[in-house]
Amino acid sequence: MWFCQAPPDRTKDRTVPSSHKLNHILANTNSPAMSDLAPSTSFLQCTERIGQGTMSGGFQSQRYASFSFSAYCESTWPLGNSPHTTSIHILNDDSLLNVFYLYRPFLLDEDEDGEDRFNGGKRQWSEECWWYYKLVHVCQRWRNIIFRSASYLGLSLVCTKGTPVTDMLAHSPSFPLVIDYVEKYRCLAAEDEERAILALKQRNRIRRIRLFMPITNLQKFIDAIEEEYPILEYLIVWSLITDITTFLMFPETFHAPHLRHLALVDFCLPTASRLLTSAVGLVTLCLVINHPTVYFDTDTLLQWLSFMPQLESLMIGLIFIFPDRGVERQTPVTLPNLHHFSFQGHSTYLEALIYRITPRPEKLELHFTDQRTFSVPRLLQFMNTTENRKFESAKVKFYEWRASVAVYPCGETEMYALSITISKLSSNGRFDWLVSSVARLSQSFSQIFSAVERLDLERDDEADSRTPEEHWCRVVQNGVDPIKWRQLLSSFNNVKTLRINNGLVEEVSRCLELDDGELPLELLPELQELAYSRSGEAVDGFTSFMDARQNAGRPITLTRY
């Protein structure tokens, strides 16, 4: 007999919610029940079939077929001598193994992108790692096939809150370990803390580590992480710090030569640390700094990046405003596989960094907090490094405490090429401040925005429990100076279609009303269609604007959606 933790059986949503903040809060992992599985003696004596029946990348994309296979695990197929009866036993072992391979949940580096990838994915790792639990209970043959190919199928054991680690290590096969302790609001119990530290000491078996908890717990865990972790692929450590004067020092001796995903928040890396210089296979890197004393300049960061030729996704967060102390060497760092770059901080640091990365990533995310001016000549030059790169549409969206501007390349409506978020921490005059900031941002990026042909203006209607109308009546109750809206729109001088979401119709219509009988025709000179979303009667605020364009020989079609 061997000891194994059963997967959770919960009906509530078990995904990790997305967040626009770098200090993303992950969902709690509840304690599952325990159960026994009994593999055959032949399993314990056989050798693993690693790589048998390897599937091509294209075939992996057809894993949706596993849904029908999942239905089989929930029901019984018809038996008997009927010629129309089909039995799963007609499949040989290799065919079944291929089906099991397709049935696995997607791994993080196969289907995740954006911020979810930096956080370790939307799913809880316990959910992902116990996918085979029902299958090994179907019959002895299935159990033997799955256990014989444990490495090929990526089988692992999960250590999480409530896991009796000592018993699991003593009575389970020596599968790789996945350590996932996520505690948002309180410290771990002493018993769970001891179990986690015991699991962390199994250096040769650990494949993934995700720790998200208060610094009081985390310090003990970090002290247990030292020396080499030869098979570690994921290391995601987010500290919940209530005192910004506190930070953690990562062990100097720790290194993981096969690390692929790394996320560290509020850690100081020793000068002699081998962590970033030895992880040559890293594909995802997230470094967030909240403390001034652990700040690293752009030269240091670029030196680290030079050791990571396989890097695909990069997130850098500097919560404080730091003057860059780098000497700005002109030698660029070539990251041929980098397609996603996310940055939070002040534009001065970004300017010293961005132009020294080549080639330009396909997806660029920027987040500025309480920044009123934007001087980004190097960023604009960086954005124009790709020939024939045209941005066809843009979306400006206002939330309660932030606003975002996203631009999309030709033929693309889902994946933006550039997203800029501006946030204001204080609530005093927030909406007016956001509109003004977006207007200044638009003027700074007019070189890019001038090619946009479709512009969407939206507001978020899920900011709180009030109805959208109640919420936005409070947010914009004093209104915004129409001049600010006109400054925002003036940078989009090639827009042919303007779509206005319900919450902003009245605001934008006021900016299009004539002042003293005149409205400069330079505002949206190429506009051909004006579409708005609104319940009830149509807004009359567009009438004077439509008439003026009609009289000037530039008619506009007004539509409602």
Side-chain angles (χ1 to χ4, degrees):
M1 300 289 289
W2 60 282
F3 196 83
C4 181
Q5 179 183 355
D9 184 13
R10 301 190 292 270
T11 58
K12 64 180 182 179
D13 180 24
R14 292 173 291 178
T15 62
V16 178
S18 297
S19 171
H20 294 275
K21 300 180 180 180
L22 287 174
N23 54 343
H24 182 90
I25 306 296
L26 302 178
N28 275 321
T29 304
N30 295 332
S31 173
M34 306 300 297
S35 179
D36 288 325
L37 293 178
S40 66
T41 305
S42 60
F43 157 65
L44 299 175
Q45 298 173 345
C46 73
T47 58
E48 266 187 312
R49 295 187 295 174
I50 301 176
Q52 181 173 348
T54 301
M55 311 303 297
S56 66
F59 200 18
Q60 287 189 32
S61 65
Q62 300 179 16
R63 201 176 292 172
Y64 62 83
S66 66
F67 287 112
S68 60
F69 177 66
S70 176
Y72 167 77
C73 298
E74 304 284 344
S75 60
T76 303
W77 284 19
L79 302 176
N81 298 322
S82 168
H84 302 293
T85 299
T86 303
S87 172
I88 190 67
H89 299 294
I90 66 173
L91 298 178
N92 60 28
D93 288 0
D94 288 341
S95 297
L96 275 175
L97 179 60
N98 287 340
V99 173
F100 297 152
Y101 184 86
L102 293 178
Y103 181 71
R104 301 173 310 136
F106 283 108
L107 298 179
L108 178 61
D109 53 356
E110 290 176 333
D111 73 331
E112 299 286 1
D113 201 359
E115 212 168 285
D116 293 323
R117 192 171 193 178
F118 298 115
N119 294 325
K122 293 181 179 180
R123 294 182 298 270
Q124 294 180 7
W125 286 355
S126 56
E127 173 188 353
E128 179 180 297
C129 293
W130 288 118
W131 62 271
Y132 63 91
Y133 186 80
K134 284 187 177 181
L135 303 187
V136 298
H137 280 82
V138 171
C139 64
Q140 191 73 27
R141 181 190 174 206
W142 285 26
R143 188 176 307 177
N144 291 339
I145 293 173
I146 291 173
F147 287 155
R148 283 201 305 264
S149 304
S151 179
Y152 174 57
L153 295 175
L155 304 189
S156 57
L157 302 175
V158 182
C159 303
T160 188
K161 185 178 178 181
T163 302
V165 175
T166 302
D167 291 338
M168 186 180 72
L169 295 176
H171 302 290
S172 301
S174 56
F175 293 163
L177 301 179
V178 171
I179 300 177
D180 192 18
Y181 287 86
V182 178
E183 188 61 52
K184 295 188 296 184
Y185 305 115
R186 57 188 177 185
C187 295
L188 282 177
E191 187 177 21
D192 277 315
E193 193 175 79
E194 293 176 0
R195 292 167 173 172
I197 292 175
L198 174 61
L200 288 170
K201 291 181 178 180
Q202 314 303 311
R203 299 183 183 91
N204 293 329
R205 292 180 56 183
I206 297 179
R207 176 182 289 165
R208 300 189 192 185
I209 298 175
R210 179 165 63 180
L211 305 174
F212 193 96
M213 61 189 62
I215 194 171
T216 50
N217 278 133
L218 203 53
Q219 182 64 68
K220 298 177 182 178
F221 288 7
I222 297 303
D223 291 342
I225 300 178
E226 56 183 359
E227 305 300 336
E228 180 178 352
Y229 281 66
I231 70 169
L232 184 65
E233 298 178 0
Y234 296 74
L235 177 61
I236 301 172
V237 186
W238 296 71
S239 60
L240 291 175
I241 296 179
T242 56
D243 180 5
I244 61 174
T245 64
T246 305
F247 63 91
L248 294 173
M249 178 72 72
F250 220 80
E252 185 175 306
T253 59
F254 171 80
H255 62 287
H258 292 94
L259 196 63
R260 291 176 54 80
H261 302 272
L262 174 64
L264 298 177
V265 177
D266 286 319
F267 279 90
C268 180
L269 294 175
T271 305
S273 173
R274 299 171 55 191
L275 176 58
L276 294 179
T277 57
S278 63
V280 296
L282 210 62
V283 297
T284 299
L285 173 63
C286 173
L287 299 174
V288 179
I289 300 300
N290 288 312
H291 197 281
T293 60
V294 297
Y295 161 84
F296 46 82
D297 60 38
T298 54
D299 288 338
T300 302
L301 175 60
L302 289 167
Q303 184 179 7
W304 289 338
L305 296 179
S306 66
F307 293 99
M308 307 171 189
Q310 305 301 319
L311 196 63
E312 298 176 3
S313 299
L314 173 64
M315 174 185 283
I316 301 297
L318 301 172
I319 307 305
F320 288 89
I321 298 177
F322 301 105
D324 184 58
R325 297 189 291 266
V327 298
E328 296 197 17
R329 298 183 181 91
Q330 298 301 313
T331 303
V333 173
T334 301
L335 300 173
N337 299 301
L338 185 65
H339 66 84
H340 177 202
F341 176 47
S342 178
F343 175 83
Q344 178 174 351
H346 198 273
S347 60
T348 54
Y349 190 97
L350 178 66
E351 279 286 285
L353 172 67
I354 194 68
Y355 78 105
R356 298 156 70 188
I357 296 177
T358 182
R360 196 192 81 183
E362 298 175 359
K363 183 178 178 181
L364 189 62
E365 289 180 310
L366 309 175
H367 191 157
F368 305 112
T369 302
D370 287 335
Q371 183 170 339
R372 299 188 64 86
T373 59
F374 303 90
S375 178
V376 287
R378 287 173 174 172
L379 175 60
L380 294 175
Q381 181 182 358
F382 182 74
M383 292 297 298
N384 291 325
T385 54
T386 302
E387 296 182 1
N388 301 321
R389 184 74 166 180
K390 182 181 178 183
F391 301 112
E392 186 177 49
S393 62
K395 180 183 295 184
V396 180
K397 190 167 185 176
F398 292 92
Y399 301 82
E400 186 171 6
W401 57 274
R402 70 184 189 275
S404 65
V405 182
V407 291
Y408 302 80
C410 291
E412 182 63 65
T413 59
E414 297 295 332
M415 182 61 69
Y416 51 77
L418 171 65
S419 173
I420 306 174
T421 300
I422 305 171
S423 58
K424 180 176 173 60
L425 299 181
S426 64
S427 59
N428 186 27
R430 181 178 288 164
F431 184 69
D432 182 89
W433 186 93
L434 288 175
V435 175
S436 299
S437 297
V438 173
R440 288 191 293 270
L441 177 73
S442 299
Q443 292 172 350
S444 298
F445 285 82
S446 59
Q447 180 180 345
I448 295 175
F449 296 165
S450 61
V452 170
E453 296 184 358
R454 167 174 164 164
L455 175 61
D456 287 55
L457 300 178
E458 299 183 358
R459 57 96 169 119
D460 174 44
D461 57 3
E462 298 179 354
D464 53 30
S465 58
R466 289 179 289 269
T467 65
E469 292 75 14
E470 291 173 340
H471 170 69
W472 282 92
C473 179
R474 180 181 64 86
V475 171
V476 300
Q477 57 185 340
N478 296 322
V480 177
D481 188 341
I483 294 178
K484 296 178 181 180
W485 282 107
R486 294 174 187 173
Q487 291 173 343
L488 189 158
L489 294 174
S490 63
S491 299
F492 298 90
N493 54 19
N494 194 46
V495 165
K496 296 177 173 59
T497 301
L498 175 63
R499 292 169 60 89
I500 307 171
N501 187 271
N502 185 25
L504 297 176
V505 170
E506 293 187 14
E507 281 284 314
V508 178
S509 65
R510 280 198 297 269
C511 96
L512 297 178
E513 291 178 356
L514 300 182
D515 290 337
D516 298 328
E518 297 224 6
L519 180 70
L521 293 178
E522 299 85 50
L523 185 66
L524 303 175
E526 303 298 325
L527 188 63
Q528 299 174 7
E529 179 184 2
L530 175 59
Y532 69 96
S533 169
R534 183 177 175 84
S535 58
E537 298 297 327
V539 175
D540 296 329
F542 296 124
T543 302
S544 59
F545 177 69
M546 302 289 293
D547 292 342
R549 286 302 177 92
Q550 181 71 34
N551 295 334
R554 300 180 184 178
I556 297 174
T557 302
L558 182 65
T559 60
R560 179 175 171 181
Y561 68 94

